[in-house]
């Protein structure tokens, strides 16, 4: 006997898989269990009881008919039994064995195969149905996706974040005035001294007008661990969606197993209807056993024929119902596009309009989930919404970055403003806007910033830096920043990523932009209009522009400082600079310039010019700087200048001249006629000697000659009595003149990297020079007289 428990493994699935079983699969599962019970019951009877009982035919040997049992009807059996006559035959002592032999022989030869194997066929067909139904739960290519999906689905359904997100949305959707309604309050009073509700209990119904109170929805609070789990769940859903939407193996497998069940149903139905009549109670058996038993024709009784026929009709009925469910499944599969799933109803209900529609296997599984319970897909959709994910990130950020933690990051920046710097965060914490003392806000590598209305709490904010941090600014916040923000730094890979609201900050005084123009736009260098920036004084642009942007002229009437850093790209058109009538400072750094632009000489108000890191070889045009009567600082460093023209003497108003990192080998004597020079930087060149005329620079306070090839210094150099800084490091000097004692104002002297053997003890006469300001090898310093060293070490 086969216990039913042995077949349990064919129907047992993981309990979680039930969410992917629509009602027709559940019904089919119960039908297969019923059909399996029929088969098992029939098999049990087949094994435990006699299968067939045969008796010899009463016909004579000469008149043996082909169907000896045809006239043996139930009502005529007794009559024929009364007229039986004794027949003679071979007699022996094996009568029981003879009958057993005939029973077995007739069972194998005379009984129809359908009648013999009916219960086994039922079991086999039912097992095939079971395999077809659950095959996609077992097949490696599909089972892994199903298990992963159900695992994620369960976590999404049970996640506290799902409940919170839906509660918040529900609260938002149901907000509104509640005036004009009444609240019915039931007050129950119970008599004193009784713990049970007795006859003294009364109900009072009070009708009172409802107050207009906007109560926030009751939501659960997430701790840090739950927030991190929800964050990880968002990532899992993203990766799973990408993986599953690539193919439709689940959809195809489900269709194939359904089609197979339908084909199997028709085959079973046809042959069962044809052969069910072969199950008969009486069976005629003709075998050549006369020499053994004395008879060749037998009338046999199939003992379970009546029961098997009833079971067969019952089985066929179950198969028909099973087949109808399979046909309905096919109709459901093909009458609608199951490879696409729309969350339109969820979007309308929850207000999360960014929930995307899905396709392929992902869509198919969601359609199956809806047949089980549509609440699953609604809660699952929360983890497909980017808005929901951003809310979760914001919540986690607020948990992590408390106001106290943010205050620890406050520090003064180069401008002296109290600055809060945040870098590489998934978002901007709302707690930032609780720090009303913040004057400068620096945001670097923070994705998708959206400034909330709480920005208005930063009443002291004057400076904002957005470095690779795209930011959206609502209109209310734009109004707040429009007249309040003074300085803004914006840096992106491309300038077209700069938010447009930046160009509407009319109170802005400094605008610093960094980013590249697309290759096709670099030559035109089109920048947004700056007309709204009525108070802009400083404009800095670091890009690859082919010309000065035309919009710069929008602020020509009040722009005082312009900085163009071109990262080596050649700046061709500079004529628009002539319109900057009030410009005081101009920087053209790494612009590929080979000569000083003529447009510069038209800037009558220019005070500082920086041409760093260009390709200047000749500066003959320096004579034209005499038109820039207010020019006091000229930076020509990091170029390829080989000589300084003699007419440099015309720049008598020049106070600072930077010529470092060039290819100078000599200096003109006329440089000594620039009497206003206070700073002269000639470091990192190839100078071998200095003209004595440098001693005429009586206003000189800073002289840098490091990294040259000087072997000696002219004595006239020590006539510059106002000199405070003298940098002579890394030259070829062999001695330092005792005349250095004339530099009474000297406070910093660099002598490292030379060929000096001793230092003059007259260094002690330089009243402003201390040990900290003397940069020299320790051995040389130790060679000074002790009293000189003590004097220099005094505070």
């Amino acid at each position: 006997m086969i216990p039913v428990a042995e077949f349990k493994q064919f129907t047992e699935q993981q309990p979680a898989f039930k969410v992917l079983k629509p009602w027709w699969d559940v019904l089919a599962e119960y039908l297969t269990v019923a059909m399996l019970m029929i088969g098992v019951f029939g098999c049990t009877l087949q094994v435990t009881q006699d299968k067939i009982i045969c008796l010899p035919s009463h016909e004579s040997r000469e008149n043996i008919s082909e169907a000896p049992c045809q006239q043996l009807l139930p009502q005529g059996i007794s009559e024929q039994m009364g007229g039986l006559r004794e027949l003679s035959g071979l007699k022996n002592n094996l009568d029981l064995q003879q009958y057993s032999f005939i029973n077995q022989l007739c069972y194998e030869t005379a009984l129809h195969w359908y009648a013999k194997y009916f219960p086994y066929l039922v079991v086999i067909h039912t097992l095939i149905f079971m395999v077809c139904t659950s095959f996609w739960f077992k097949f490696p290519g599909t089972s892994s996706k199903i298990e992963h999906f159900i695992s994620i689905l369960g976590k999404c359904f049970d996640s506290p974040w799902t409940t919170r997100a839906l509660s918040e949305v529900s609260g938002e959707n149901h907000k509104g005035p509640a005036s004009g309604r009444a609240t019915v309050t039931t007050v129950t009073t119970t008599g004193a001294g009784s713990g049970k509700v007795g006859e003294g209990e009364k109900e009072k119904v009070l009708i009172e007008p409802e107050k207009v109170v906007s109560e926030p929805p009751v939501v659960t609070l997430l701790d840090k661990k739950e927030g991190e789990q929800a964050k990880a769940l968002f990532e899992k859903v993203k990766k799973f969606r990408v993986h599953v939407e690539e193919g439709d193996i689940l959809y195809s497998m489900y269709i194939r197993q359904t089609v197979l069940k339908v084909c199997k149903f028709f085959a079973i139905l046809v042959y069962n209807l044809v052969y069910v009549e072969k199950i008969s109670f009486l069976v005629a058996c003709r075998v050549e056993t006369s020499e053994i038993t004395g008879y060749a024709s037998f009338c046999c009784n199939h003992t379970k024929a009546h029961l098997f026929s009833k079971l067969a009709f019952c089985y066929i009925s179950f198969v028909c119902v099973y087949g109808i469910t399979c046909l309905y499944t096919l109709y459901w599969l093909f009458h609608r596009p199951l490879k696409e799933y729309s969350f339109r109803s969820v979007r309308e209900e929850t207000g999360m309009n960014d929930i995307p529609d899905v396709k392929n296997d992902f869509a198919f599984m969601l359609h199956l989930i809806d047949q089980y319970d549509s609440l699953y897909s609604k809660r699952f959709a929360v983890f497909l919404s980017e808005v929901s994910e951003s809310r979760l990130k914001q919540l986690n950020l607020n948990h992590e970055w408390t106001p106290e933690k943010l205050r620890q990051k406050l520090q003064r920046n180069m401008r002296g403003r109290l600055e809060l710097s945040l870098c590489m965060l998934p978002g901007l914490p709302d707690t930032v806007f609780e720090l009303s003392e913040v004057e400068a806000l620096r945001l670097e590598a923070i994705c998708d910033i959206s400034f909330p209305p709480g920005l208005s709490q930063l009443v002291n904010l004057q400076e904002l830096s957005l470095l690779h941090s795209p930011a959206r600014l609502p209109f209310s916040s734009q109004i707040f920043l429009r007249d309040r923000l003074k300085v803004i730094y914006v840096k992106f890979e491309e300038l077209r990523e700069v938010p447009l609201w930046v160009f509407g900050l009319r109170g802005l005084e400094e605008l610093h932009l960094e980013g590249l123009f697309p290759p096709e736009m670099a030559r035109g260098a089109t920048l947004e209009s700056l007309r709204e920036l009525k108070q802009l004084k400083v404009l800095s642009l670091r890009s690859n522009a082919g010309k000065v942007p035309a919009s710069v002229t929008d602020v020509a009437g009040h722009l005082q400082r312009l900085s163009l850093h071109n990262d080596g790209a050649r700046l061709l058109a500079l004529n628009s600079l002539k319109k900057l009538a009030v410009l005081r400072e101009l920087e053209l750094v790494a612009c590929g310039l080979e000569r000083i632009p003529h447009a510069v000489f038209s800037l009558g108000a220019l005070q500082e010019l920086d041409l760093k890191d260009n390709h200047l070889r000749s500066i003959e045009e320096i004579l034209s700087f005499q038109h820039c009567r207010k020019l006091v600082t000229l930076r020509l460093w990091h170029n390829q200048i080989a000589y300084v023209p003699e007419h440099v003497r015309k720049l008598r108003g020049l106070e600072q001249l930077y010529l470092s990192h060039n290819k100078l080998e000599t200096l003109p004597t006329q440089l000594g006629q620039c009497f206003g020079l206070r700073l002269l930087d000639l470091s990192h060149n190839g100078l071998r000697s200095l003209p004595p005329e440098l001693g005429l620079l009586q206003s000189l306070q800073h002289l840098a000659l490091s990294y040259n090839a000087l072997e000696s210094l002219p004595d006239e150099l020590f006539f510059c009595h106002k000199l405070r800084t003298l940098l002579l490091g890394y030259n070829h000097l062999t001695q330092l003149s005792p005349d250095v004692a004339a530099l009474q104002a000297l406070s910093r002297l660099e002598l490292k990297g030379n060929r000096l053997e001793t230092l003059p003890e007259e260094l002690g006469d330089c009243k402003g020079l201390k040990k900290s300001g003397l940069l020299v090898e320790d051995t040389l310093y130790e060679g000074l007289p002790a009293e000189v060293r003590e004097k220099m070490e005094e505070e």
Side-chain angles (χ1 to χ4, degrees), residues 552-776:
V552 172
T553 58
D554 295 338
V555 291
H558 44 83
L559 189 65
Q560 298 180 9
R561 184 175 186 272
L562 175 62
S563 175
L564 298 177
H565 195 304
N566 235 31
D567 285 329
R570 190 172 182 183
L571 192 63
L572 299 175
L574 295 165
N575 291 332
S576 56
L577 293 178
K578 296 179 180 179
K579 300 179 181 180
L580 305 180
V582 298
L583 193 67
R584 297 179 182 177
E585 300 178 31
L586 176 61
E587 292 182 5
L588 300 176
V589 180
C591 294
L593 302 176
E594 296 181 356
R595 304 185 72 87
I596 301 175
H598 289 281
V600 173
F601 306 132
S602 303
L603 303 176
L606 190 65
Q607 297 179 8
E608 296 185 17
L609 176 63
D610 189 348
L611 298 178
K612 179 183 177 181
D613 201 13
N614 283 283
H615 302 155
L616 300 178
R617 288 183 170 83
S618 172
I619 52 173
E620 289 291 342
E621 303 89 349
I622 200 171
L623 178 61
S624 301
F625 278 123
Q626 62 183 336
H627 301 295
C628 303
R629 300 185 182 278
K630 297 182 178 181
L631 186 66
V632 294
T633 301
L634 180 59
R635 296 183 175 92
L636 300 174
W637 47 358
H638 295 269
N639 281 281
Q640 302 175 22
I641 301 172
Y643 69 97
V644 178
E646 296 178 358
H647 41 257
V648 68
R649 66 181 184 276
K650 299 292 185 180
L651 305 181
R652 296 190 178 182
L654 200 63
E655 296 180 3
Q656 298 182 18
L657 178 59
Y658 294 82
L659 289 169
S660 65
H661 295 84
N662 279 285
K663 297 182 178 180
L664 299 175
E665 294 184 358
T666 59
L667 293 175
T669 58
Q670 291 79 3
L671 184 61
Q673 299 179 26
C674 297
F675 302 118
L677 275 181
R678 293 188 293 112
L679 183 148
L680 179 59
D681 188 354
L682 297 168
S683 60
H684 293 272
N685 280 282
L687 297 175
R688 298 181 180 277
S689 61
L690 297 176
E693 286 76 10
L694 286 183
L696 300 176
L697 302 177
Q698 294 299 305
S699 299
L700 193 63
Q701 299 179 13
H702 181 104
L703 178 60
L705 295 167
S706 304
Y707 293 94
N708 279 281
L710 298 175
E711 297 179 355
S712 62
L713 299 176
D715 294 334
E716 291 81 2
L717 180 63
F718 303 104
F719 295 161
C720 302
H721 299 300
K722 294 183 179 181
L723 203 59
R724 296 181 179 179
T725 302
L726 179 59
L727 305 179
L728 299 170
Y730 302 95
N731 281 278
H732 301 159
L733 299 176
T734 56
Q735 63 177 1
L736 181 62
S737 172
D739 294 338
V740 69
L743 304 179
Q744 295 294 310
L746 192 66
S747 61
R748 180 178 175 84
L749 175 62
E750 181 188 18
L751 294 170
K752 270 189 177 182
N754 282 282
R755 301 172 181 176
L756 299 173
E757 295 181 358
T758 59
L759 294 177
E761 60 182 34
E762 286 78 8
L763 282 176
D765 297 331
C766 299
K767 298 179 180 180
L769 186 62
K770 302 298 180 181
K771 180 182 178 181
S772 59
L774 179 60
L775 304 178
V776 69

Side-chain angles (χ1 to χ4, degrees), residues 163 295 339 408 462 618:
T163 303
Y295 301 94
K339 294 174 68 174
Q408 295 176 3
Q462 298 181 15
S618 172

Side-chain angles (χ1 to χ4, degrees), residues 356-524:
D357 296 336
V358 295
K359 59 183 180 179
N360 290 337
D361 283 342
F362 203 177
F364 178 63
M365 286 190 288
L366 289 173
H367 281 295
L368 290 177
I369 290 293
D370 282 347
Q371 296 298 320
Y372 181 79
D373 189 349
S374 59
L375 182 61
Y376 276 90
S377 59
K378 177 182 176 181
R379 295 179 72 90
F380 188 79
V382 171
F383 287 88
L384 291 173
S385 169
E386 293 184 0
V387 172
S388 176
E389 184 178 9
S390 63
R391 288 178 181 175
L392 175 64
K393 291 180 179 178
Q394 195 66 40
L395 185 65
N396 289 340
L397 274 175
N398 295 340
H399 279 311
E400 180 180 359
W401 294 92
T402 61
E404 293 73 19
K405 184 176 179 180
L406 289 174
R407 283 191 172 91
Q408 295 176 3
K409 294 180 66 66
L410 292 177
Q411 57 183 359
R412 296 285 175 182
N413 61 10
M414 295 177 60
R415 297 174 178 269
R417 293 190 175 103
L418 192 61
E419 182 179 74
L420 174 62
S421 179
L422 299 175
C423 179
M424 299 184 69
L425 295 182
L428 185 62
D430 291 334
T431 48
V432 168
F433 307 106
E434 298 180 20
L435 309 182
S436 58
E437 66 270 27
V438 170
E439 298 175 333
L441 182 60
R442 179 184 175 90
L443 307 175
E444 184 173 359
I446 300 178
C447 299
D448 196 19
I449 299 173
S450 181
F451 287 107
L455 179 64
S456 59
Q457 299 179 35
L458 302 182
V459 294
N460 295 314
L461 185 65
Q462 298 181 15
E463 182 178 328
L464 177 63
S465 300
L466 298 174
L467 311 179
H468 300 288
S469 301
R472 296 190 301 272
L473 191 68
F475 182 71
S476 59
S477 298
Q478 290 184 34
I479 296 177
F480 172 76
L481 291 180
R482 187 169 55 190
D483 299 318
R484 191 177 303 271
L485 205 61
K486 302 301 180 184
V487 181
I488 188 167
Y489 292 84
V490 183
K491 179 180 179 180
F492 288 98
E493 290 294 332
E494 294 187 357
L495 283 175
R496 57 186 173 186
E497 300 178 46
V498 176
L500 295 179
W501 53 264
V502 169
F503 303 98
L505 302 173
R506 62 189 184 189
L508 206 61
E509 296 180 0
E510 294 186 24
L511 174 59
H512 302 266
L513 301 176
E514 183 173 348
L516 300 178
F517 288 103
E520 64 276 6
M521 298 176 59
R523 183 177 295 273

